[in-house]
Amino acid sequence: MSQPKVVLATASYDHTIRFWEAKSGRCHRTIQYPDSQVNRMEITPDKRYLAVAGNPHIRLFDVNSNSPQPVMSYDSHTNNVMAVGFQCDGNWMYSGSEDGTVKIWDLRAPGCQREYESRAAVNTVVLHPNQTELISGDQNGNIRVWDLTANACSCELVPEVDTAVRSLTVMWDGSLVVAANNHGTCYVWRLLQGTQTMTNFQPLHKLQAHKGYILKCLLSPELCEPHRYLATASSDHTVKIWNVDGFTLEKTLIGHQRWVWDCVFSVDGAYLITASSDTTARLWSMSSGEDIKVYQGHHKATICCALHDGAEPASC
């Protein structure tokens, strides 16, 4: 089968994963996922596999096959896996779980290669663009930087005591990190490279973005330059688009009828895909702020979405 140019997938509490034609809105493949709910999904950099984070497994599905079975299962977490992502060459995968651990998996070898203890349920993990640091956020409000070279925690922050960090995002050039919490607040830091390549956080801004929970925050990709945006998806049914220069509100995306759980930018930052409890996913134009496609087919809340419409990396 030929490689699709755009890979778009959504997962729902109806225990299905759906693959969509982004432009037409047609669902062209459905995978039954009876084992658990799906918390997060990510597509490998080469577009070959979809990683599905459930409870307590991570399963890898072949994007270009119609097989309902996963090609691989990663099984050493003991609770909901809330975060999953890949190193830029796709050689290894990272994950974070409510079991309080952050793990690293070499995709070319069986089992988990490294494990870091966060001592609280991990809600979110992102990989710094330098590919040598993972940043995690947990239910107790801790943000930790895990230095993969030193194999240790190099930095610890608590922006708001006992307020769960729900989502983290790092600017593509490593200059900013944003943490969103259950109080609708985003904390923004400048990231300064120390002499030991250790990342130092310099407080830059505190943004009261929503009255409800923020369920996902996401900074725009490199090809969106010179525009830099922060998207915040909320339980208040909206997604807000903030201009990173001054953190002024650029647009409010209105259309979902329930909580908005997830969002992902297209590779050029011109579009945003969102997933909502109203059972739909939507494609938004960033220039107009309008939804231009609604993906309908799930029967319960749509919790996560994954998109890869960029080129496959030659190497990173």
Side-chain angles (χ1 to χ4, degrees):
M1 288 183 67
S2 62
Q3 196 113 317
K5 284 191 175 65
V6 178
V7 182
L8 170 60
T10 57
S12 163
Y13 281 157
D14 66 12
H15 292 286
T16 67
I17 297 158
R18 289 177 175 264
F19 287 85
W20 306 85
E21 288 174 0
K23 283 184 178 170
S24 71
R26 185 180 78 88
C27 174
H28 63 85
R29 180 184 175 194
T30 302
I31 298 172
Q32 301 297 323
Y33 198 88
D35 299 5
S36 76
Q37 71 188 51
V38 175
N39 302 306
R40 183 69 60 208
M41 298 194 301
E42 192 70 45
I43 298 156
T44 55
D46 63 8
K47 296 188 186 179
R48 286 181 63 191
Y49 301 107
L50 175 74
V52 176
N55 184 2
H57 316 284
I58 305 165
R59 302 260 158 81
L60 223 56
F61 289 90
D62 189 334
V63 167
N64 300 308
S65 140
N66 282 320
S67 168
Q69 299 305 319
V71 294
M72 186 68 82
S73 187
Y74 301 89
D75 298 326
S76 74
H77 280 299
T78 58
N79 207 329
N80 271 305
V81 183
M82 302 302 289
V84 66
F86 294 94
Q87 176 257 1
C88 62
D89 271 338
N91 291 334
W92 49 267
M93 175 174 73
Y94 60 87
S95 60
S97 166
E98 288 182 345
D99 65 14
T101 66
V102 173
K103 292 180 189 270
I104 290 180
W105 316 76
D106 188 324
L107 296 182
R108 300 156 298 182
C112 160
Q113 275 62 49
R114 292 195 195 178
E115 180 177 306
Y116 300 109
E117 281 285 344
S118 187
R119 302 189 296 281
V122 176
N123 292 325
T124 176
V125 183
V126 288
L127 177 61
H128 190 287
N130 64 21
Q131 307 293 306
T132 63
E133 291 172 310
L134 287 171
I135 308 172
S136 67
D138 70 28
Q139 196 63 20
N140 290 358
N142 303 296
I143 295 170
R144 292 191 175 90
V145 179
W146 307 95
D147 183 331
L148 306 183
T149 310
N151 207 19
C153 178
S154 60
C155 179
E156 205 165 314
L157 286 173
V158 185
E160 216 172 301
V161 177
D162 290 335
T163 303
V165 177
R166 183 60 50 198
S167 182
L168 288 165
T169 181
V170 183
M171 186 59 84
W172 63 268
D173 61 359
S175 61
L176 292 178
V177 65
V178 181
N181 71 19
N182 271 355
H183 289 167
T185 310
C186 285
Y187 288 88
V188 186
W189 294 271
R190 274 200 189 93
L191 290 185
L192 306 173
Q193 293 303 125
T195 51
Q196 310 301 312
T197 74
M198 190 178 79
T199 295
N200 296 309
F201 289 68
Q202 181 185 65
L204 178 65
H205 196 77
K206 181 182 176 182
L207 175 68
Q208 191 56 48
H210 296 267
K211 288 193 172 74
Y213 303 125
I214 300 174
L215 303 167
K216 177 74 177 275
C217 65
L218 189 62
L219 287 160
S220 55
E222 181 177 1
L223 294 178
C224 190
E225 297 288 322
H227 303 293
R228 293 189 162 198
Y229 299 117
L230 171 70
T232 55
S234 172
S235 61
D236 68 10
H237 309 179
T238 71
V239 178
K240 290 184 179 177
I241 308 296
W242 307 86
N243 191 325
V244 169
D245 182 19
F247 290 92
T248 51
L249 181 62
E250 192 88 4
K251 288 184 176 69
T252 303
L253 308 185
I254 297 170
H256 281 300
Q257 306 300 309
R258 298 275 186 89
W259 290 22
V260 186
W261 285 95
D262 200 5
C263 62
V264 57
F265 279 105
S266 61
V267 68
D268 60 359
Y271 302 97
L272 189 76
I273 302 262
T274 56
S276 167
S277 290
D278 66 12
T279 76
T280 71
R282 288 171 190 251
L283 172 68
W284 305 83
S285 161
M286 288 289 288
S287 59
S288 70
E290 301 293 320
D291 58 341
I292 52 180
K293 189 60 64 182
V294 180
Y295 304 99
Q296 289 178 302
H298 286 299
H299 307 300
K300 291 185 178 176
T302 303
I303 297 304
C304 49
C305 50
L307 173 71
H308 187 345
D309 63 329
E312 295 123 51
S315 66
C316 57

